Amino acid sequence: MLGATVILACRSAENGRMAIDTINKEYEEEKKKGTPGLCDYDKLSMDVMELDLASLASTRKFINDYRDSGRPLHVLICNAGVAMCPPEITEDGYELHFQANYLGHFLLCAELLPLMEANGQDCRIVLVSSFMHLNSGFDSKRIQGIYPYTLYNRIIHYSNSKLYQIMQTYTMKRLLQNSNVSICCVNPGWVYTDIVRGLGDYGTLMYWSYSIVAWTGFKTMYQGATVSINAAVSPDKPEAPYYTNNRVGYHSRTSRNKDHQKHLWTYTLECLKPFMESETWNRLASFNMGGENGNDN
Ligand SMILES: NC(=O)c1ccc[n+]([C@@H]2O[C@H](COP(=O)([O-])OP(=O)(O)OC[C@H]3O[C@@H](n4cnc5c(N)ncnc54)[C@H](OP(=O)(O)O)[C@@H]3O)[C@@H](O)[C@H]2O)c1
């Protein structure tokens, strides 16, 4: 409503178009109320592009289509996520939370980065992480943590993917030193959304219990979304790696461990090699992550 062109990257184009209709209706209502600061468009500038983050082929196609569209890119918000799903391996052979929440977004960031660098303006990558990352440790031998399946733990798999986003942020911040592009993670807090649909196989009791708790005490979707939007458009460029409620937030020692960050970076690049352009891959693989270990502050 401030006038930016927003592309909704959705796995269902139909749902995306329905969202655009809803947002345009809300825009009309805001105009009628006389809300200050709105742009003066008849309809908001929005479009839908298809993207399934659980498929690297789809993610690759999205990247190519976006580049071919000739549009510039100033802000990339990596918000999509699945949570607490039953065990599932994607078509690419990766654990679902690992791919949909972390790996697919990493590919987007890596390949769309040059587009953001090219325009020379204040550009931002915002990864929607979670306080749930605090549940996770880091095991360099089991980064996807999927074996054996008998020990599959939904909370840990979700939490790991959110931890990896923070670790990626630290390494990309090093890569982007002195660049016009900044990167940060945000934690929206407890928000009443559809996030627990992954628990659907536990039955309606679980779903309704969550709904009642969420309804009584969680943030609304609007309140949750303001955290990402603030990081995306606030005049104060987000310099910290992790924000909670628009303030610099506490994040785990594990996420700040440089040795872990390097392991994850190398592992991620190996996973993505077949889907990454060689120029991008070489840049990310050869960049000097610094020799020292220990923790970031
Ligand atoms: N809700 C909370 O309390 C909370 C707390 C901390 C962090 N977060 C984070 O906030 C972000 C948004 O979650 P939410 O709470 O808004 O949950 P949500 O209502 O379930 O929304 C998740 C979105 O991700 C999309 N998505 C899932 N898998 C996808 C895929 N493979 N490809 C493309 N899109 C996919 C879904 O699309 P479809 O509509 O097609 O399913 C949906 O629009 C997530 O990253 C989550 O980890 C949420």
Side-chain angles (χ1 to χ4, degrees):
M1 295 186 199
L2 298 172
T5 295
V6 177
I7 310 298
L8 305 183
C10 308
R11 56 183 165 177
S12 157
E14 196 190 336
N15 286 351
R17 280 190 283 273
M18 275 164 30
I20 288 181
D21 289 344
T22 307
I23 297 165
N24 267 315
K25 277 186 198 136
E26 289 172 2
Y27 176 56
E28 284 306 316
E29 283 163 22
E30 295 300 323
K31 280 203 288 192
K32 276 188 203 143
K33 279 194 261 173
T35 303
L38 303 180
C39 60
D40 59 1
Y41 304 157
D42 287 339
K43 294 262 177 214
L44 292 170
S45 177
M46 288 186 285
D47 209 346
V48 177
M49 286 178 67
E50 279 185 42
L51 167 66
D52 180 358
L53 288 155
S55 156
L56 289 172
S58 165
T59 311
R60 182 72 249 174
K61 183 173 182 313
F62 173 87
I63 292 162
N64 295 345
D65 289 350
Y66 194 91
R67 284 180 181 166
D68 292 346
S69 73
R71 295 178 194 272
L73 181 64
H74 296 93
V75 176
L76 175 62
I77 302 183
C78 298
N79 169 71
V82 291
M84 276 83 79
C85 298
E88 187 176 330
I89 298 293
T90 66
E91 64 184 33
D92 301 296
Y94 297 113
E95 192 279 322
L96 178 64
H97 298 84
F98 175 77
Q99 181 165 344
N101 297 359
Y102 168 68
L103 198 61
H105 283 137
F106 189 106
L107 186 60
L108 284 185
C109 295
E111 294 288 25
L112 293 176
L113 190 53
L115 209 54
M116 302 174 97
E117 290 174 313
N119 70 38
Q121 298 168 25
D122 169 6
C123 291
R124 303 181 188 183
I125 300 174
V126 179
L127 305 182
V128 183
S129 177
S130 170
F131 55 89
M132 293 283 280
H133 81 273
L134 294 165
N135 291 314
S136 284
F138 182 79
D139 182 345
S140 62
K141 297 198 175 57
R142 289 187 184 180
I143 288 179
Q144 292 178 70
I146 53 178
Y147 304 108
Y149 251 144
T150 46
L151 292 181
Y152 181 88
N153 178 323
R154 299 172 190 230
I155 293 178
I156 293 295
H157 281 271
Y158 174 66
S159 306
N160 282 351
S161 66
K162 297 287 135 184
L163 170 72
Y164 298 162
Q165 290 180 302
I166 307 174
M167 294 165 76
Q168 170 197 340
T169 297
Y170 268 105
T171 312
M172 281 207 168
K173 278 180 94 57
R174 290 195 183 91
L175 175 78
L176 297 172
Q177 262 174 7
N178 309 320
S179 149
N180 63 310
V181 184
S182 60
I183 179 165
C184 72
C185 277
V186 295
N187 160 35
W190 296 98
V191 190
Y192 186 16
T193 66
D194 279 339
I195 191 75
V196 290
R197 60 190 137 154
L199 290 171
D201 56 321
Y202 277 118
T204 45
L205 184 61
M206 170 69 91
Y207 187 81
W208 284 110
S209 310
Y210 165 78
S211 298
I212 290 165
V213 174
W215 183 69
T216 51
F218 286 13
K219 287 181 183 174
T220 62
M221 285 188 203
Y222 176 85
Q223 290 166 331
T226 59
V227 177
S228 308
I229 294 173
N230 190 61
V233 302
S234 160
D236 299 326
K237 201 169 173 173
E239 303 287 356
Y242 184 85
Y243 290 85
T244 292
N245 293 329
N246 303 333
R247 296 209 177 92
V248 175
Y250 173 78
H251 49 291
S252 69
R253 223 177 139 78
T254 308
S255 70
R256 291 181 275 122
N257 183 296
K258 290 181 192 163
D259 205 26
H260 296 342
Q261 291 162 8
K262 286 179 200 167
H263 263 110
L264 179 67
W265 188 261
T266 308
Y267 181 81
T268 305
L269 289 180
E270 283 311 314
C271 296
L272 291 177
K273 197 168 188 177
F275 291 89
M276 226 180 234
E277 283 177 356
S278 54
E279 200 180 325
T280 310
W281 197 88
N282 290 335
R283 176 187 179 192
L284 300 186
S286 62
F287 123 82
N288 183 358
M289 285 188 265
E292 80 285 22
N293 287 331
N295 288 337
D296 282 297
N297 291 323

Short mmCIF file of all heavy atoms in Angstrom, two decimals, residues 116-160:
data_model
loop_
_atom_site.label_atom_id
_atom_site.label_comp_id
_atom_site.label_asym_id
_atom_site.label_seq_id
_atom_site.Cartn_x
_atom_site.Cartn_y
_atom_site.Cartn_z
N MET A 116 20.10 -7.93 -7.23
CA MET A 116 20.01 -6.88 -6.20
C MET A 116 21.28 -6.06 -6.18
O MET A 116 21.25 -4.84 -6.01
CB MET A 116 19.76 -7.52 -4.83
CG MET A 116 18.52 -8.37 -4.80
SD MET A 116 18.32 -9.26 -3.24
CE MET A 116 17.22 -8.20 -2.38
N GLU A 117 22.41 -6.70 -6.37
CA GLU A 117 23.68 -5.98 -6.35
C GLU A 117 23.77 -5.02 -7.54
O GLU A 117 24.37 -3.95 -7.43
CB GLU A 117 24.85 -6.96 -6.36
CG GLU A 117 24.97 -7.73 -5.05
CD GLU A 117 26.02 -8.83 -5.08
OE1 GLU A 117 26.05 -9.60 -6.05
OE2 GLU A 117 26.80 -8.91 -4.14
N ALA A 118 23.15 -5.43 -8.65
CA ALA A 118 23.30 -4.64 -9.88
C ALA A 118 22.66 -3.27 -9.78
O ALA A 118 23.09 -2.33 -10.43
CB ALA A 118 22.67 -5.40 -11.05
N ASN A 119 21.61 -3.12 -8.95
CA ASN A 119 20.94 -1.81 -8.95
C ASN A 119 21.59 -0.81 -7.99
O ASN A 119 21.25 0.37 -8.01
CB ASN A 119 19.42 -1.96 -8.71
CG ASN A 119 19.10 -2.39 -7.30
OD1 ASN A 119 19.74 -1.96 -6.35
ND2 ASN A 119 18.10 -3.23 -7.15
N GLY A 120 22.51 -1.28 -7.15
CA GLY A 120 23.30 -0.36 -6.32
C GLY A 120 22.53 0.34 -5.21
O GLY A 120 23.09 1.12 -4.45
N GLN A 121 21.21 0.06 -5.10
CA GLN A 121 20.42 0.74 -4.06
C GLN A 121 20.37 -0.11 -2.78
O GLN A 121 20.84 -1.24 -2.77
CB GLN A 121 19.01 1.00 -4.58
CG GLN A 121 19.00 1.91 -5.78
CD GLN A 121 17.65 1.92 -6.47
OE1 GLN A 121 16.62 1.65 -5.88
NE2 GLN A 121 17.65 2.25 -7.74
N ASP A 122 19.74 0.45 -1.74
CA ASP A 122 19.58 -0.28 -0.47
C ASP A 122 18.65 -1.48 -0.72
O ASP A 122 17.45 -1.32 -0.86
CB ASP A 122 18.97 0.69 0.56
CG ASP A 122 18.52 0.00 1.83
OD1 ASP A 122 18.76 -1.21 1.99
OD2 ASP A 122 17.91 0.69 2.68
N CYS A 123 19.24 -2.67 -0.80
CA CYS A 123 18.45 -3.88 -1.05
C CYS A 123 18.56 -4.80 0.17
O CYS A 123 19.58 -4.83 0.85
CB CYS A 123 18.98 -4.62 -2.27
SG CYS A 123 18.68 -3.73 -3.80
N ARG A 124 17.50 -5.56 0.42
CA ARG A 124 17.46 -6.35 1.66
C ARG A 124 16.93 -7.76 1.42
O ARG A 124 15.96 -7.95 0.68
CB ARG A 124 16.56 -5.66 2.68
CG ARG A 124 17.02 -4.24 2.95
CD ARG A 124 16.15 -3.57 3.97
NE ARG A 124 16.50 -2.15 4.06
CZ ARG A 124 15.96 -1.29 4.89
NH1 ARG A 124 15.01 -1.70 5.73
NH2 ARG A 124 16.35 -0.04 4.90
N ILE A 125 17.57 -8.70 2.09
CA ILE A 125 17.05 -10.06 2.15
C ILE A 125 16.56 -10.28 3.58
O ILE A 125 17.32 -10.04 4.53
CB ILE A 125 18.13 -11.10 1.80
CG1 ILE A 125 18.66 -10.85 0.39
CG2 ILE A 125 17.59 -12.51 1.93
CD1 ILE A 125 19.85 -11.73 0.01
N VAL A 126 15.32 -10.72 3.72
CA VAL A 126 14.75 -10.96 5.04
C VAL A 126 14.34 -12.42 5.13
O VAL A 126 13.49 -12.88 4.34
CB VAL A 126 13.51 -10.04 5.29
CG1 VAL A 126 12.91 -10.32 6.65
CG2 VAL A 126 13.88 -8.57 5.13
N LEU A 127 14.95 -13.15 6.05
CA LEU A 127 14.59 -14.56 6.23
C LEU A 127 13.70 -14.68 7.47
O LEU A 127 14.09 -14.20 8.54
CB LEU A 127 15.84 -15.42 6.45
CG LEU A 127 16.96 -15.35 5.41
CD1 LEU A 127 18.09 -16.29 5.78
CD2 LEU A 127 16.45 -15.69 4.02
N VAL A 128 12.55 -15.29 7.31
CA VAL A 128 11.65 -15.43 8.47
C VAL A 128 12.04 -16.71 9.21
O VAL A 128 11.74 -17.82 8.79
CB VAL A 128 10.17 -15.43 8.04
CG1 VAL A 128 9.28 -15.49 9.29
CG2 VAL A 128 9.86 -14.17 7.24
N SER A 129 12.74 -16.50 10.31
CA SER A 129 13.22 -17.63 11.13
C SER A 129 12.25 -17.79 12.31
O SER A 129 11.07 -17.46 12.19
CB SER A 129 14.66 -17.35 11.57
OG SER A 129 15.13 -18.37 12.41
N SER A 130 12.73 -18.29 13.42
CA SER A 130 11.84 -18.52 14.56
C SER A 130 12.64 -18.68 15.84
O SER A 130 13.77 -19.18 15.82
CB SER A 130 11.01 -19.78 14.30
OG SER A 130 10.31 -20.14 15.46
N PHE A 131 11.99 -18.29 16.95
CA PHE A 131 12.58 -18.57 18.28
C PHE A 131 12.76 -20.08 18.46
O PHE A 131 13.53 -20.53 19.30
CB PHE A 131 11.68 -18.01 19.39
CG PHE A 131 10.27 -18.51 19.32
CD1 PHE A 131 9.89 -19.67 19.95
CD2 PHE A 131 9.32 -17.85 18.55
CE1 PHE A 131 8.60 -20.17 19.85
CE2 PHE A 131 8.02 -18.33 18.43
CZ PHE A 131 7.66 -19.49 19.07
N MET A 132 12.04 -20.88 17.68
CA MET A 132 12.13 -22.35 17.82
C MET A 132 13.54 -22.85 17.50
O MET A 132 13.88 -23.97 17.84
CB MET A 132 11.12 -23.03 16.88
CG MET A 132 9.68 -22.79 17.25
SD MET A 132 9.15 -23.77 18.64
CE MET A 132 8.85 -25.33 17.82
N HIS A 133 14.36 -22.02 16.86
CA HIS A 133 15.73 -22.47 16.56
C HIS A 133 16.48 -22.78 17.85
O HIS A 133 17.47 -23.52 17.84
CB HIS A 133 16.49 -21.39 15.76
CG HIS A 133 17.05 -20.30 16.61
ND1 HIS A 133 16.34 -19.18 16.98
CD2 HIS A 133 18.26 -20.17 17.22
CE1 HIS A 133 17.09 -18.41 17.75
NE2 HIS A 133 18.26 -18.98 17.91
N LEU A 134 16.00 -22.23 18.97
CA LEU A 134 16.68 -22.45 20.25
C LEU A 134 16.62 -23.92 20.68
O LEU A 134 17.38 -24.35 21.54
CB LEU A 134 16.04 -21.56 21.34
CG LEU A 134 16.24 -20.05 21.14
CD1 LEU A 134 15.30 -19.25 22.02
CD2 LEU A 134 17.69 -19.67 21.42
N ASN A 135 15.73 -24.69 20.07
CA ASN A 135 15.64 -26.13 20.39
C ASN A 135 16.80 -26.93 19.81
O ASN A 135 16.98 -28.10 20.16
CB ASN A 135 14.37 -26.74 19.77
CG ASN A 135 13.12 -26.24 20.42
OD1 ASN A 135 13.05 -26.20 21.64
ND2 ASN A 135 12.14 -25.84 19.62
N SER A 136 17.54 -26.32 18.88
CA SER A 136 18.45 -27.14 18.06
C SER A 136 19.90 -26.99 18.44
O SER A 136 20.38 -25.91 18.75
CB SER A 136 18.33 -26.72 16.59
OG SER A 136 17.16 -27.24 16.06
N GLY A 137 20.59 -28.14 18.36
CA GLY A 137 22.05 -28.14 18.36
C GLY A 137 22.48 -28.33 16.91
O GLY A 137 21.65 -28.36 16.01
N PHE A 138 23.78 -28.46 16.69
CA PHE A 138 24.24 -28.66 15.31
C PHE A 138 25.08 -29.91 15.26
O PHE A 138 26.05 -30.06 16.01
CB PHE A 138 25.06 -27.45 14.84
CG PHE A 138 25.52 -27.58 13.41
CD1 PHE A 138 24.64 -27.30 12.37
CD2 PHE A 138 26.81 -27.98 13.10
CE1 PHE A 138 25.05 -27.41 11.04
CE2 PHE A 138 27.23 -28.09 11.78
CZ PHE A 138 26.35 -27.82 10.75
N ASP A 139 24.71 -30.84 14.37
CA ASP A 139 25.48 -32.07 14.19
C ASP A 139 25.95 -32.09 12.74
O ASP A 139 25.16 -32.31 11.82
CB ASP A 139 24.57 -33.27 14.50
CG ASP A 139 25.31 -34.59 14.40
OD1 ASP A 139 26.43 -34.60 13.81
OD2 ASP A 139 24.80 -35.60 14.89
N SER A 140 27.24 -31.87 12.53
CA SER A 140 27.76 -31.74 11.16
C SER A 140 27.64 -33.04 10.37
O SER A 140 27.67 -33.02 9.15
CB SER A 140 29.21 -31.26 11.19
OG SER A 140 29.99 -32.22 11.85
N LYS A 141 27.47 -34.17 11.08
CA LYS A 141 27.35 -35.45 10.36
C LYS A 141 25.89 -35.76 10.01
O LYS A 141 25.63 -36.66 9.23
CB LYS A 141 27.93 -36.57 11.21
CG LYS A 141 29.41 -36.40 11.46
CD LYS A 141 30.05 -37.70 11.89
CE LYS A 141 31.55 -37.55 12.02
NZ LYS A 141 31.94 -36.47 12.96
N ARG A 142 24.98 -35.06 10.66
CA ARG A 142 23.56 -35.30 10.39
C ARG A 142 22.83 -33.98 10.21
O ARG A 142 21.94 -33.63 11.00
CB ARG A 142 22.92 -36.05 11.57
CG ARG A 142 23.36 -37.48 11.66
CD ARG A 142 22.56 -38.17 12.72
NE ARG A 142 23.04 -39.53 12.89
CZ ARG A 142 22.54 -40.39 13.74
NH1 ARG A 142 21.55 -40.02 14.52
NH2 ARG A 142 23.01 -41.60 13.81
N ILE A 143 23.25 -33.26 9.19
CA ILE A 143 22.68 -31.92 9.03
C ILE A 143 21.18 -32.00 8.74
O ILE A 143 20.40 -31.19 9.24
CB ILE A 143 23.47 -31.15 7.95
CG1 ILE A 143 24.83 -30.79 8.57
CG2 ILE A 143 22.72 -29.90 7.47
CD1 ILE A 143 25.78 -30.04 7.71
N GLN A 144 20.77 -33.01 7.99
CA GLN A 144 19.32 -33.19 7.78
C GLN A 144 18.70 -34.03 8.88
O GLN A 144 17.49 -34.14 8.97
CB GLN A 144 19.05 -33.85 6.45
CG GLN A 144 19.38 -32.98 5.27
CD GLN A 144 19.11 -33.75 4.01
OE1 GLN A 144 17.97 -34.00 3.66
NE2 GLN A 144 20.17 -34.13 3.33
N GLY A 145 19.56 -34.66 9.67
CA GLY A 145 19.10 -35.38 10.86
C GLY A 145 18.04 -36.42 10.62
O GLY A 145 17.22 -36.68 11.50
N ILE A 146 18.03 -37.04 9.45
CA ILE A 146 16.86 -37.87 9.13
C ILE A 146 17.03 -39.35 9.46
O ILE A 146 16.08 -40.10 9.38
CB ILE A 146 16.46 -37.74 7.64
CG1 ILE A 146 17.63 -38.02 6.75
CG2 ILE A 146 15.83 -36.41 7.37
CD1 ILE A 146 17.29 -37.96 5.27
N TYR A 147 18.22 -39.75 9.81
CA TYR A 147 18.42 -41.18 10.05
C TYR A 147 18.73 -41.43 11.51
O TYR A 147 19.50 -40.69 12.10
CB TYR A 147 19.56 -41.70 9.18
CG TYR A 147 19.36 -41.43 7.73
CD1 TYR A 147 20.11 -40.48 7.08
CD2 TYR A 147 18.37 -42.11 7.03
CE1 TYR A 147 19.91 -40.22 5.75
CE2 TYR A 147 18.16 -41.84 5.69
CZ TYR A 147 18.94 -40.89 5.05
OH TYR A 147 18.72 -40.61 3.74
N PRO A 148 18.24 -42.43 12.17
CA PRO A 148 17.20 -43.31 11.64
C PRO A 148 15.83 -42.67 11.82
O PRO A 148 15.61 -41.89 12.70
CB PRO A 148 17.33 -44.54 12.53
CG PRO A 148 17.83 -43.99 13.83
CD PRO A 148 18.66 -42.79 13.51
N TYR A 149 14.93 -43.05 10.96
CA TYR A 149 13.61 -42.44 10.97
C TYR A 149 12.84 -42.67 12.26
O TYR A 149 11.96 -41.90 12.62
CB TYR A 149 12.79 -42.95 9.79
CG TYR A 149 12.61 -41.88 8.76
CD1 TYR A 149 12.61 -42.17 7.42
CD2 TYR A 149 12.45 -40.56 9.14
CE1 TYR A 149 12.46 -41.18 6.48
CE2 TYR A 149 12.31 -39.57 8.21
CZ TYR A 149 12.31 -39.88 6.88
OH TYR A 149 12.17 -38.89 5.96
N THR A 150 13.20 -43.73 12.97
CA THR A 150 12.49 -44.00 14.22
C THR A 150 12.71 -42.87 15.21
O THR A 150 11.94 -42.67 16.13
CB THR A 150 13.01 -45.31 14.84
OG1 THR A 150 14.42 -45.29 14.77
CG2 THR A 150 12.44 -46.52 14.15
N LEU A 151 13.81 -42.10 15.01
CA LEU A 151 14.06 -40.99 15.93
C LEU A 151 13.58 -39.66 15.35
O LEU A 151 13.96 -38.61 15.81
CB LEU A 151 15.56 -40.90 16.24
CG LEU A 151 16.12 -42.05 17.05
CD1 LEU A 151 17.61 -41.83 17.30
CD2 LEU A 151 15.39 -42.21 18.37
N TYR A 152 12.77 -39.75 14.31
CA TYR A 152 12.28 -38.52 13.68
C TYR A 152 11.52 -37.68 14.72
O TYR A 152 10.62 -38.17 15.39
CB TYR A 152 11.36 -38.87 12.51
CG TYR A 152 10.82 -37.66 11.79
CD1 TYR A 152 11.54 -37.10 10.75
CD2 TYR A 152 9.61 -37.10 12.16
CE1 TYR A 152 11.06 -35.98 10.08
CE2 TYR A 152 9.12 -35.99 11.50
CZ TYR A 152 9.85 -35.44 10.46
OH TYR A 152 9.37 -34.33 9.81
N ASN A 153 11.92 -36.44 14.84
CA ASN A 153 11.27 -35.55 15.80
C ASN A 153 10.86 -34.28 15.06
O ASN A 153 11.69 -33.51 14.60
CB ASN A 153 12.29 -35.22 16.92
CG ASN A 153 11.72 -34.27 17.95
OD1 ASN A 153 10.96 -33.36 17.64
ND2 ASN A 153 12.09 -34.48 19.19
N ARG A 154 9.57 -34.07 14.96
CA ARG A 154 9.06 -32.97 14.12
C ARG A 154 9.54 -31.61 14.59
O ARG A 154 9.86 -30.74 13.78
CB ARG A 154 7.52 -32.94 14.18
CG ARG A 154 6.87 -34.15 13.69
CD ARG A 154 5.38 -34.07 14.01
NE ARG A 154 4.82 -35.37 13.74
CZ ARG A 154 3.74 -35.57 13.00
NH1 ARG A 154 3.07 -34.57 12.49
NH2 ARG A 154 3.30 -36.79 12.79
N ILE A 155 9.57 -31.45 15.91
CA ILE A 155 9.94 -30.13 16.44
C ILE A 155 11.40 -29.84 16.09
O ILE A 155 11.75 -28.74 15.65
CB ILE A 155 9.70 -30.08 17.96
CG1 ILE A 155 8.20 -30.15 18.21
CG2 ILE A 155 10.29 -28.80 18.57
CD1 ILE A 155 7.79 -30.16 19.64
N ILE A 156 12.24 -30.88 16.23
CA ILE A 156 13.67 -30.67 15.96
C ILE A 156 13.89 -30.38 14.47
O ILE A 156 14.71 -29.52 14.11
CB ILE A 156 14.50 -31.90 16.40
CG1 ILE A 156 14.43 -32.03 17.93
CG2 ILE A 156 15.94 -31.82 15.92
CD1 ILE A 156 15.08 -30.89 18.69
N HIS A 157 13.19 -31.08 13.60
CA HIS A 157 13.39 -30.84 12.16
C HIS A 157 13.00 -29.42 11.78
O HIS A 157 13.70 -28.75 11.02
CB HIS A 157 12.63 -31.87 11.33
CG HIS A 157 13.34 -33.17 11.27
ND1 HIS A 157 14.27 -33.45 10.31
CD2 HIS A 157 13.32 -34.23 12.10
CE1 HIS A 157 14.78 -34.66 10.54
NE2 HIS A 157 14.21 -35.14 11.62
N TYR A 158 11.89 -28.97 12.31
CA TYR A 158 11.48 -27.58 12.05
C TYR A 158 12.52 -26.62 12.64
O TYR A 158 12.99 -25.69 11.97
CB TYR A 158 10.10 -27.33 12.68
CG TYR A 158 9.65 -25.89 12.60
CD1 TYR A 158 9.37 -25.30 11.37
CD2 TYR A 158 9.50 -25.11 13.75
CE1 TYR A 158 8.96 -23.97 11.29
CE2 TYR A 158 9.08 -23.79 13.68
CZ TYR A 158 8.83 -23.23 12.44
OH TYR A 158 8.43 -21.91 12.36
N SER A 159 12.90 -26.87 13.88
CA SER A 159 13.84 -25.98 14.58
C SER A 159 15.18 -25.92 13.86
O SER A 159 15.79 -24.86 13.75
CB SER A 159 14.04 -26.45 16.02
OG SER A 159 12.80 -26.58 16.67
N ASN A 160 15.65 -27.06 13.37
CA ASN A 160 16.91 -27.08 12.63
C ASN A 160 16.85 -26.14 11.43
O ASN A 160 17.77 -25.38 11.17
CB ASN A 160 17.21 -28.49 12.09
CG ASN A 160 17.74 -29.42 13.17
OD1 ASN A 160 18.05 -29.00 14.27
ND2 ASN A 160 17.84 -30.70 12.85
#
